[in-house]
Amino acid sequence: MNEYKERVIYQIYPASFKDSNNDGWGDLRGIISKLDYLKSLGIGIIWLSPVYASPMDDMGYDISDYKAINPRFGTMEDFDCLLKEAKDRDILIVMDLVINHTSTEHAWFKEAIKDIPNNKYRDYYIIKEGNGKKLPNNWDSQFTGTCWEKIEGLDNKYYMHLYCKTQADLNYHNEDVILEVEDIMRFWLDKGVYGFRCDVINNIYKTSYANDSVFKLYLKGEKFYTNQPGMFEILKRFRKEVLDNYNCFLVGETGAITPEIGREFLKTKALDMFFEFDHIYADKSSFIPVFSRDFDAKRLVEPIFKWQESVPWIGNYLENHDQSRSVSRYGNEKEYYKESAKMLALFLLTLKGTPFIYQGEEIGMTNVSDLKFEEVNDCAAISTVGTVQKLLHVKKEKAWEMVNKTICRDHARTPMQWSDKENAGFNDGATPWLRMNNNFDKINVEAQLNDEDSILNFYKRMIKFRNESDILKYGSFERQYCTSKICSFYRTYNGRRYLIVLNFSDDIETYWLKDKLSLVFATYKQDFHLNALPPRFAGIFEVL
Ligand code: GLC
């Protein structure tokens, strides 16, 4: 069955979705209480960001027990109840599989660093000897700085962490590690989950530990661990040994891939789909992401079009827990807020591939306008501020300004805005783990449910339209225009053809339509001339 190709997926960031016991943290019972809301939105699959036991240094992407639920989120009974309640509503649950690394609080790691003979767990991790007084090699962490941390009490030994210091990389040259991961997958699949979003999956296999060129400013070492043949072999093995026995799918988080590699993932069934990262640089430098640049629609849409043309299937997204809010980045939040949010919704939901909506995107949640460094929780943002200060010789305020504008992930992580009540209805008043975005008096679910013209009701109509449209679900893709103002493309299926037109500009744009068209769905309700598209307009036309 192909549910993953036919349904819209909704990502939940559990800490920030709904806090049922008023302790400041969202939880599984909170999610259960909102399943009817999600059903009425029209989504068919939930991707749950990690809910496993974790010290939460990287908000659950640092797992200390893969088979236990973090008590902050509830219990295993709560999880089983979520699965059942979701199933009753025909909603499937996808888990986050974070297997590049574990938390340094994981029992395997605690064993690995014990100074005992024949330590089986030592080889679970990438633990290397320092090179004289130097680190084992010159690789960087993806969160900046070195990727090596000295192990206290072990002579001249370091462990690798490609992410935070407390996320130790697993060693995929060790058969036992692979068997452990297969066991974890079976554990959750046997419970009835519908698959996994595989965290940083194309970085799991390190082919060599050689030094990288010293001239690279950032991400030294990447060429030795990204997209390695060994990673493909492991994923193919997971497919054969585990996944083929279940109705499930895998979506990979795969930074730094090319269309060729993307096609290889699909052809070999290493993954069923993946996320590309090319379009996220529409408003910042891809070489040094802390350098912002003005948003240009062409830089957003061109890479998306390239991927649409290059692979038969893909996971489409504009937001997630690592990206700041799309309406703030790609829309005009001040003058054409609603129009922009609706346009982005129409864009996301008319592309070829599976659409992923991130919690709050459906009500047009925005970036936090007054986020202070002292309020930040995001470990990557915090470490990058330090690195920017050091490397660019700037003051902390300046470094924070740069990071805040470009890569700070907390903009997407503030609690979900359910109502205009205390803490936006996220809970009953306990201080949330991360500050609220203060605009919840204006932007919230309750207000939008009652407003026919709201962003939320537009999402509902748009998702329904997609769910019922074979052209949008199965149609081929063909680009028409991609400029800084107007972008357009065709979707074609069984002889029927839609033209999707997006106006990214704040002006009325003249658009000469060669085809004979009939408007079937749009972000504006009022009549307009087809050759004078209103600001931030998006529409679907049938080609007659
Ligand atoms: C992925 C996650 C991100 C996390 C990182 C390390 O990119 O999406 O939130 O910090 O992996 O696990």
Side-chain angles (χ1 to χ4, degrees):
M1 284 192 285
N2 267 349
E3 291 96 342
Y4 68 88
K5 287 191 166 175
E6 305 196 332
R7 299 182 177 201
V8 175
I9 303 188
Y10 186 90
Q11 183 192 353
I12 291 184
Y13 197 63
S16 296
F17 193 59
K18 173 75 187 165
D19 173 11
S20 73
N21 61 350
N22 199 35
D23 66 353
W25 289 80
D27 47 44
L28 294 169
R29 291 274 156 197
I31 299 172
I32 295 169
S33 73
K34 294 296 181 186
L35 285 173
D36 287 333
Y37 165 77
L38 295 174
K39 185 73 196 168
S40 72
L41 186 58
I43 62 102
I45 300 175
I46 292 171
W47 152 26
L48 265 191
S49 273
V51 290
Y52 316 94
S54 161
M56 302 296 269
D57 291 335
D58 190 19
M59 290 304 293
Y61 286 88
D62 47 327
I63 298 172
S64 55
D65 184 346
Y66 287 92
K67 293 185 185 171
I69 296 292
N70 186 336
R72 279 178 180 161
F73 296 141
T75 62
M76 195 56 91
E77 285 73 56
D78 296 337
F79 182 84
D80 293 339
C81 177
L82 169 63
L83 266 181
K84 183 186 172 300
E85 292 288 324
K87 191 171 175 206
D88 289 349
R89 292 165 178 81
D90 193 26
I91 293 176
L92 299 160
I93 304 276
V94 170
M95 301 289 276
D96 219 305
L97 189 72
V98 188
I99 55 165
N100 176 67
H101 42 262
T102 73
S103 161
T104 50
E105 294 292 308
H106 196 290
W108 301 337
F109 189 80
K110 289 187 181 165
E111 284 301 315
I113 59 172
K114 284 189 182 154
D115 198 4
I116 47 171
N118 304 324
N119 186 341
K120 136 171 170 135
Y121 290 101
R122 180 68 57 85
D123 197 38
Y124 269 42
Y125 293 90
I126 302 173
I127 294 181
K128 302 274 175 212
E129 196 116 329
N131 183 1
K133 281 212 169 114
K134 289 209 242 127
L135 301 170
N137 67 26
N138 68 350
W139 295 8
D140 296 316
S141 151
Q142 296 257 338
F143 290 166
T144 75
T146 173
C147 71
W148 295 103
E149 185 70 10
K150 196 153 201 239
I151 305 176
E152 290 304 318
L154 283 191
D155 196 24
N156 199 25
K157 292 247 181 337
Y158 296 78
Y159 68 88
M160 176 184 285
H161 61 89
L162 285 184
Y163 298 87
C164 276
K165 256 188 206 139
T166 55
Q167 291 167 305
D169 279 50
L170 286 165
N171 173 20
Y172 280 89
H173 294 262
N174 181 348
E175 171 73 14
D176 287 342
V177 169
I178 299 173
L179 290 173
E180 297 271 16
V181 172
E182 290 176 352
D183 177 56
I184 292 163
M185 290 170 125
R186 284 193 199 98
F187 175 85
W188 293 101
L189 290 166
D190 285 340
K191 275 188 174 290
V193 311
Y194 178 60
F196 303 98
R197 174 265 187 189
C198 307
D199 192 66
V200 298
I201 196 67
N202 56 335
N203 289 345
I204 61 170
Y205 191 87
K206 285 79 178 167
T207 298
S208 119
Y209 299 98
N211 276 322
D212 202 348
S213 154
V214 284
F215 299 111
K216 253 189 116 181
L217 199 62
Y218 164 65
L219 295 183
K220 282 194 283 298
E222 208 179 23
K223 68 174 184 207
F224 299 113
Y225 63 77
T226 297
N227 304 322
Q228 303 296 302
M231 175 266 307
F232 279 98
E233 290 315 309
I234 290 167
L235 286 177
K236 282 193 270 176
R237 177 171 158 175
F238 289 164
R239 175 76 55 186
K240 193 158 149 268
E241 296 294 323
V242 183
L243 301 161
D244 274 347
N245 302 318
Y246 300 85
N247 176 37
C248 67
F249 86 108
L250 289 187
V251 50
E253 187 204 18
T254 50
I257 57 166
T258 59
E260 217 176 7
I261 291 165
R263 284 192 292 270
E264 171 106 9
F265 276 126
L266 302 185
K267 207 174 84 209
T268 59
K269 294 193 81 197
L271 294 171
D272 296 289
M273 67 174 117
F274 55 85
F275 299 125
E276 56 82 17
F277 277 64
D278 295 336
H279 72 276
I280 69 163
Y281 299 103
D283 57 354
K284 62 189 172 201
S285 156
S286 57
F287 295 109
I288 308 180
V290 292
F291 287 127
S292 64
R293 53 182 184 178
D294 287 343
F295 170 68
D296 179 342
K298 204 172 164 183
R299 283 201 291 252
L300 173 74
V301 178
E302 176 63 40
I304 291 177
F305 279 7
K306 178 194 81 183
W307 279 101
Q308 292 281 304
E309 291 162 343
S310 309
V311 289
W313 201 259
I314 193 160
N316 294 307
Y317 69 99
L318 295 174
E319 288 185 19
N320 60 41
H321 64 294
D322 294 332
Q323 301 297 323
S324 53
R325 294 292 184 179
S326 59
V327 66
S328 303
R329 292 177 73 180
Y330 314 137
N332 178 342
E333 205 185 300
K334 297 214 167 62
E335 261 178 281
Y336 295 106
Y337 162 69
K338 244 194 208 180
E339 292 81 356
S340 306
K342 290 180 184 177
M343 182 193 74
L344 293 168
L346 190 142
F347 183 33
L348 178 70
L349 286 149
T350 51
L351 287 166
K352 180 184 80 176
T354 303
F356 285 74
I357 297 173
Y358 176 65
Q359 68 182 46
E361 190 173 356
E362 78 276 22
I363 55 167
M365 276 178 67
T366 66
N367 285 348
V368 184
S369 60
D370 57 346
L371 187 63
K372 296 186 197 59
F373 182 65
E374 296 66 46
E375 295 169 324
V376 170
N377 170 284
D378 171 9
C379 60
I382 294 170
S383 82
T384 308
V385 165
T387 308
V388 168
Q389 267 178 273
K390 246 192 280 159
L391 288 185
L392 303 182
H393 304 290
V394 293
K395 291 224 171 72
K396 189 163 161 197
E397 293 67 41
K398 179 66 190 168
W400 165 237
E401 189 191 310
M402 293 170 77
V403 168
N404 185 21
K405 213 168 163 192
T406 52
I407 58 147
C408 178
R409 303 184 292 179
D410 283 350
H411 289 286
R413 298 179 178 184
T414 58
M416 178 75 183
Q417 298 170 191
W418 294 105
S419 71
D420 62 1
K421 313 265 156 37
E422 195 170 15
N423 287 343
F426 167 67
N427 64 14
D428 294 332
T431 307
W433 71 275
L434 180 68
R435 61 161 286 182
M436 307 290 313
N437 189 330
N438 290 334
N439 60 15
F440 65 82
D441 57 330
K442 291 183 210 76
I443 302 174
N444 66 67
V445 170
E446 200 176 85
Q448 295 197 22
L449 277 174
N450 300 323
D451 170 6
E452 213 245 313
D453 189 42
S454 66
I455 298 166
L456 177 59
N457 279 318
F458 181 79
Y459 264 91
K460 281 193 188 182
R461 289 193 294 272
M462 183 65 235
I463 294 172
K464 185 165 189 288
F465 188 85
R466 180 182 173 100
N467 286 343
E468 291 168 0
S469 165
D470 287 350
I471 304 180
L472 293 184
K473 282 189 290 189
Y474 316 121
S476 61
F477 170 93
E478 193 190 322
R479 81 162 74 198
Q480 193 195 34
Y481 288 119
C482 181
T483 73
S484 299
K485 293 179 171 174
I486 297 281
C487 301
S488 55
F489 55 100
Y490 294 105
R491 300 290 314 279
T492 310
Y493 185 70
N494 265 352
R496 282 181 64 200
R497 198 157 213 230
Y498 281 162
L499 172 70
I500 290 100
V501 183
L502 316 165
N503 177 9
F504 274 90
S505 99
D506 296 332
D507 302 312
I508 296 177
E509 294 297 329
T510 307
Y511 175 73
W512 300 107
L513 299 156
K514 279 184 277 154
D515 305 299
K516 202 162 180 297
L517 302 170
S518 136
L519 182 68
V520 286
F521 198 90
T523 53
Y524 275 73
K525 269 201 290 187
Q526 64 269 38
D527 279 347
F528 55 87
H529 289 289
L530 293 191
N531 59 3
L533 301 176
R536 305 280 168 173
F537 164 90
I540 307 173
F541 300 85
E542 176 139 20
V543 182
L544 302 172

